Amino acid sequence: MGALLGVVALAAAIVVGLRLLERRAAERAQPGRRPRQAIAIADYGEIDLAIRLQACACGGRYQLRGEGPGRTPELRVANLECRRCGRETAMYFDVSGVLH
């Protein structure tokens, strides 16, 4: 009986782990989640709008924790934290089209 419970627990852990990996992969595929997927903007105000439109996997909304230059001059990175679960993430923006 104990061996059966062990197998069931292992199977449940594998299913939970696979779901987590799928969720993280879907989040990384969203625009702006990686430098090469940076969201092109024409005005810096669009960064705030893009952040407001994002939702965490838990359903919470993100709060801007900081913003700064990315790895290259045309990139800007916004560091975000979920207001509900506290998860941190980053969004990348292509600022090469911003008019000065």
Side-chain angles (χ1 to χ4, degrees):
M1 186 66 151
L4 180 61
L5 288 176
V7 170
V8 170
L10 178 62
I14 290 171
V15 168
V16 169
L18 289 174
R19 286 184 182 162
L20 179 63
L21 288 174
E22 289 174 353
R23 187 178 326 132
R24 295 255 168 99
E27 288 176 5
R28 284 191 308 268
Q30 293 177 346
R33 295 305 173 113
R34 293 181 168 202
R36 66 176 177 257
Q37 298 170 319
I39 299 170
I41 60 170
D43 181 272
Y44 285 106
E46 293 177 19
I47 292 175
D48 294 329
L49 177 62
I51 292 169
R52 277 186 257 140
L53 294 174
Q54 296 296 312
C56 181
C58 76
R61 293 292 176 182
Y62 287 110
Q63 175 177 330
L64 181 65
R65 283 293 183 203
E67 183 182 327
R71 294 182 212 159
T72 61
E74 62 273 354
L75 279 181
R76 189 118 182 118
V77 62
N79 297 304
L80 311 174
E81 181 180 355
C82 177
R83 292 178 181 163
R84 184 184 290 175
C85 71
R87 184 166 178 258
E88 296 179 359
T89 191
M91 282 187 74
Y92 296 88
F93 297 91
D94 178 354
V95 296
S96 61
V98 174
L99 301 175
H100 296 285

